Amino acid sequence: MNIDSLKKPNRLFGFFYRYWISIILLIVLATLVRQNFVINTFPFDINEKQAILKENLAVNQQLEQDNLKLQLELNAKSDEKLEILESMARHKFGLIKPGEKYYQISISDPD
């Protein structure tokens, strides 16, 4: 056997040995192209998702407006209930707010 024949690979293996990085990059490129254009239907899928996103944003904006309106109604009702509760506490128990002064006038019977 000759030493040169051991060092020289055959033509097919030599091709792969010499260009292995290029072959791997071509396989990766082919896989990415297949994934994006064949499986995901790239340009059409983006348009559909953008339409869904716009629709969801419109629905969310409407829901936020409805929530704000309901929150204002709830606050108004709570304020009314608190006013009634405050009035009852002032009348029944003589409670006062901080910073208020309480004056009690007592009428005595003239004897």
Side-chain angles (χ1 to χ4, degrees), residues 69-83:
K69 180 181 172 186
L70 290 173
Q71 187 67 36
L72 290 173
E73 288 177 10
L74 181 64
N75 289 342
K77 289 180 181 178
S78 295
D79 289 343
E80 290 173 6
K81 289 180 182 178
L82 287 176
E83 287 177 16

Side-chain angles (χ1 to χ4, degrees), residues 1 3 24 35 37 41 71 77 83 85 101 106:
M1 275 184 90
I3 295 177
I24 289 175
Q35 179 72 31
F37 293 105
T41 60
Q71 187 67 36
K77 289 180 181 178
E83 287 177 16
L85 183 65
K101 294 182 180 178
S106 57

Side-chain angles (χ1 to χ4, degrees), residues 1 25 34 41 46 67 70 82 94 99 103 108 110:
M1 275 184 90
L25 290 176
R34 179 180 166 269
T41 60
I46 287 179
N67 283 342
L70 290 173
L82 287 176
Y103 298 99
S108 60

